[in-house]
Amino acid sequence: MLTQHFPALLVVVPLIAAPLIVLVRRSLPSWIIALLATAATFGIALSLLDRTLAEGTLSYAMGSWAPPLGIEYRIDAAGAFVAVIVAAMGLIVMPYSRVGIAAEVRNEEHYLYYALMMLCLAGLLGILVTGDAFNVFVFLEVSSLATYVLIAMGRDRRALMAAYQYLLMGTIGATLYVVGVGLLYLETGTLNLADMATRLPMASDSRAVLAALAFITVGISLKIALFPLHLWLPNAYAYAPSPVSAFLAATATKVSIYVLMRYFFSIFGESAVFDARATGAILLGLSLAAMFIPAIVAIFQHDMKRLLAYSSVSQIGYITLGISMDSVDGLMASAMHLFNHALTKGGLFLVLGGVVLRCRGASFDRLAGLGQTMPVAAFAMVVGGLSLIGVPGTAGFISKWYLVSAAIHLGQWWLVGAVLASSLLAVIYVWRFVEVAYFRAPPADHPPPGEAPLSMFVPALLMIGGCVYFGLDATWSSEVATRVAEVLMNSRSGGQ
Amino acid sequence: MTLASHFSYWTTILLLMVGLFIVIARDNLIKKLIGLGIFQTAVYLLYIAPGKLIGGVAPIVGSGFAVYSNPLPHVLILTAIVVGVATLALGLALVVRIKEAYGSIDEDEILAIDAQDDASPTPDHEGG
């Protein structure tokens, strides 16, 4: 009977682990608690995905108060899919963190790091599982507040400014979202998302609903780091401790993208969002700008972490491009890229974390000659880079393939050219790493040849291996992504 | 639909704008947080004002009362206030750390210090 409470336990397990860790305080036991909690969470997420694929939407009445009066936890294949990505990333980062943070976070603060990771995980999973608009805001803030502190734990003092700037922009984003939810509440009288979706058509053209759409879109776009609202992201990723960069790059923005998809397709409905107004065109324009401008900026970076961060902004453009197409194919490509990019960028940041540990920095000066000093890590970075470009045989290729075929399906041939051109920009910024790693001599004080500690190396290689595996055999990911797209598209018209 | 009948909405919009303007226009990190606080407070008003009906009473069923005020917005905003306090506390704590690390809480000065660091790299800075 425990399985029936899985939707709640998905959030409750990490949420309880956090105060436990604070009580324990010592580094090793708190790591063990965090590891167990993430493992349990991952198991729950997998079982939820399994059940939602088989049975459809799961509804859980929090505290047995029947929805829509009580708070409902509601999870379908789309939410469970992103939850699996988030929980899996948590499980991979946890073993990595043990050694990964030793160099970057002071010993007496380790327990705080683990507690905050748990809170962040709980918040992100809560956003995915809750069926209540205001609850989304609360979980958004739970995860965001934890994120700000995690970023500020970075060793460089610029991490503090990065965290402060993210705090300002993140809070503005969340507040705009609450304004939108408030307007929707005034218009429909409900906060339950499913209930709201059924009541909205009666008020679909009222100005308050349009204002709500605008507020929610802009607020969530700030959290997604959709160009040009991405200014907080490069510094935040660059100066956060390595495991935090990897975790955030793979999860935080992805969860916000899920929220945006939910609002567009399940709550407002695609006809209100796309057919009746220019949302699609605006999103398309911003996605194209995101695919090109940050990619060009990435080329001129002198620090690998910043380069990868700008590349993230650019890759987010592909995901929103799929959303802007307003078709099942486009959404499926978005869901695919959400998964594949989480895998690729998470893997790259994990490998880079090991490199930073040994080379004491991620600037190109420090990384010079990496092909000699850390051959396997350098090679893994190149493989991850190939996946960013979208070379066949890597995960990045699969999602770009679906994106391009979705564009062709709609007769938008010029989008194919745009995707290809922006991939060429990715070739340039990945090549910059290749040049530095293989064609430059190592710095004078280079570390002796060798690799990162095993506990960091294995998770990183697992992720990069995943890039190749899901690039060669995309059966599982494409099947699930198709279901996700169908669920999102039909959740409004298909009853409920 | 007069100015007076939508008084609370106009105030909300004004406060949102004032708050956002302070966040954008001020360089002092504390003043930015004050702006952020005003920005968030405006939303509290947006929620609470429509919950009050003129002549409405607390929603306790009793004879002689037909008009009730909706208590849900108040409860929601109680949560939002808690979130706002936590954000503000965290923001102020970060400013304290920034002051310790940089010796300044002026954004322009801090960015200038960072630019200087980039020009002449020194070993890692301890955050404080």
Side-chain angles (χ1 to χ4, degrees):
Chain A
M1 286 304 97
L2 194 63
T3 52
Q4 154 196 359
H5 296 292
F6 270 6
L9 284 176
L10 186 66
V11 182
V12 169
V13 168
L15 201 60
I16 289 187
L20 268 183
I21 289 169
V22 174
L23 287 177
V24 169
R25 288 186 83 99
R26 296 229 310 281
S27 177
L28 183 65
S30 39
W31 174 67
I32 292 171
I33 295 175
L35 193 64
L36 290 178
T38 39
T41 313
F42 179 62
I44 294 171
L46 266 187
S47 120
L48 280 175
L49 179 64
D50 201 40
R51 271 171 66 197
T52 46
L53 284 175
E55 300 165 27
T57 309
L58 297 178
S59 171
Y60 179 87
M62 207 41 152
S64 299
W65 292 88
L69 283 182
I71 287 177
E72 180 191 20
Y73 273 20
R74 191 182 177 85
I75 189 161
D76 56 19
F81 176 62
V82 186
V84 166
I85 298 176
V86 173
M89 198 58 211
L91 186 59
I92 285 176
V93 166
M94 254 332 132
Y96 182 94
S97 296
R98 182 86 187 113
V99 184
I101 60 164
E104 298 190 60
V105 180
R106 277 180 300 174
N107 203 33
E108 61 270 27
E109 284 175 359
H110 281 183
Y111 75 100
L112 288 175
Y113 166 86
Y114 293 118
L116 287 163
M117 280 299 262
M118 290 295 105
L119 284 179
C120 189
L121 192 65
L124 292 173
L125 292 170
I127 298 171
L128 298 170
V129 80
T130 187
D132 184 276
F134 201 80
N135 225 229
V136 171
F137 161 70
V138 175
F139 279 124
L140 199 66
E141 284 296 49
V142 168
S143 67
S144 301
L145 286 170
T147 309
Y148 307 145
V149 186
L150 283 171
I151 292 169
M153 279 184 165
R155 199 164 46 154
D156 195 303
R157 64 177 172 181
R158 273 172 281 195
L160 295 170
M161 258 329 257
Y164 180 85
Q165 270 161 350
Y166 185 20
L167 181 133
L168 284 187
M169 296 184 100
T171 308
I172 290 172
T175 308
L176 291 178
Y177 171 81
V178 188
V179 173
V181 170
L183 292 172
L184 282 182
Y185 176 61
L186 294 180
E187 202 63 28
T188 61
T190 180
L191 285 169
N192 184 295
L193 292 177
D195 202 24
M196 198 181 269
T198 55
R199 291 191 196 190
L200 262 182
M202 290 173 241
S204 61
D205 269 333
S206 93
R207 196 173 291 174
V209 172
L210 290 186
L213 175 64
F215 272 112
I216 290 175
T217 308
V218 175
I220 298 297
S221 296
L222 257 166
K223 284 282 178 189
I224 294 179
L226 177 65
F227 185 88
L229 303 171
H230 66 281
L231 294 174
W232 56 268
L233 187 142
N235 280 341
Y237 284 12
Y239 299 121
S242 306
V244 176
S245 305
F247 183 71
L248 291 183
T251 59
T253 49
K254 311 292 178 288
V255 169
S256 304
I257 288 170
Y258 165 83
V259 176
L260 193 70
M261 287 180 176
R262 259 284 167 247
Y263 270 96
F264 275 8
F265 294 99
S266 304
I267 293 159
F268 288 103
E270 48 142 354
S271 60
V273 177
F274 289 102
D275 300 346
R277 31 210 127 263
T279 323
I282 295 171
L283 200 59
L284 177 71
L286 293 180
S287 306
L288 285 173
M291 282 157 58
F292 286 96
I293 299 170
I296 294 171
V297 177
I299 295 171
F300 294 99
Q301 296 305 310
H302 298 286
D303 182 287
M304 196 60 195
K305 261 186 146 178
R306 284 184 74 88
L307 187 152
L308 289 180
Y310 276 106
S311 143
S312 271
V313 182
S314 149
Q315 300 276 330
I316 287 163
Y318 293 115
I319 305 180
T320 49
L321 180 70
I323 299 177
S324 76
M325 286 178 191
D326 178 30
S327 69
V328 175
D329 293 338
L331 264 187
M332 187 264 184
S334 285
M336 274 299 265
H337 201 55
L338 204 132
F339 173 74
N340 288 337
H341 181 242
L343 200 63
T344 309
K345 199 47 74 62
L348 278 170
F349 270 116
L350 286 181
V351 177
L352 188 61
V355 173
V356 169
L357 189 71
R358 299 204 73 237
C359 298
R360 298 191 307 280
S363 66
F364 281 148
D365 295 337
R366 305 292 321 165
L367 297 187
L370 199 69
Q372 294 164 37
T373 49
M374 296 178 75
V376 185
F379 183 67
M381 291 285 281
V382 173
V383 173
L386 292 180
S387 180
L388 279 184
I389 300 168
V391 173
T394 59
F397 170 71
I398 306 285
S399 39
K400 279 189 186 168
W401 172 261
Y402 280 112
L403 197 62
V404 163
S405 56
I408 294 173
H409 225 83
L410 293 174
Q412 306 274 15
W413 285 90
W414 62 279
L415 276 180
V416 179
V419 171
L420 282 180
S422 109
S423 300
L424 286 179
L425 290 175
V427 173
I428 301 177
Y429 63 67
V430 171
W431 178 256
R432 284 211 58 200
F433 171 76
V434 174
E435 188 203 329
V436 166
Y438 289 98
F439 298 106
R440 272 205 224 163
D445 57 339
H446 70 86
E451 295 296 338
L454 214 58
S455 67
M456 294 175 81
F457 204 46
V458 173
L461 287 192
L462 266 180
M463 293 282 281
I464 295 293
C467 285
V468 178
Y469 176 80
F470 285 106
L472 296 175
D473 177 15
T475 336
W476 181 83
S477 49
S478 62
E479 268 171 21
V480 178
T482 312
R483 280 295 300 274
V484 168
E486 285 167 2
V487 163
L488 281 171
M489 267 299 188
N490 300 331
S491 52
R492 200 141 187 285
S493 49
Q496 311 247 18
Chain B
M1 175 111 178
T2 60
L3 194 68
S5 72
H6 286 67
F7 173 70
S8 72
Y9 292 113
W10 290 114
T11 317
T12 304
I13 293 168
L14 183 76
L15 285 176
L16 276 177
M17 293 290 112
V18 168
L20 201 57
F21 178 79
I22 297 175
V23 174
I24 295 169
R26 293 292 123 186
D27 281 333
N28 186 308
L29 298 185
I30 302 268
K31 287 183 184 168
K32 273 177 184 287
L33 285 178
I34 294 172
L36 198 67
I38 296 173
F39 187 66
Q40 288 180 300
T41 312
V43 182
Y44 306 163
L45 188 63
L46 175 77
Y47 272 72
I48 288 182
K52 171 67 183 164
L53 286 180
I54 294 169
V57 295
I60 301 167
V61 180
S63 58
F65 300 110
V67 183
Y68 301 110
S69 288
N70 184 356
L72 186 62
H74 302 70
V75 181
L76 293 177
I77 287 316
L78 213 55
T79 315
I81 288 172
V82 173
V83 171
V85 167
T87 312
L88 200 60
L90 179 57
L92 290 172
L94 278 175
V95 175
V96 171
R97 291 277 309 273
I98 289 172
K99 169 80 177 163
E100 284 170 359
Y102 286 89
S104 167
I105 55 164
D106 187 278
E107 195 178 23
D108 284 346
E109 278 178 28
I110 292 168
L111 293 180
I113 295 173
D114 275 346
Q116 224 172 4
D117 281 358
D118 282 339
S120 56
T122 43
D124 290 324
H125 297 280
E126 280 297 334

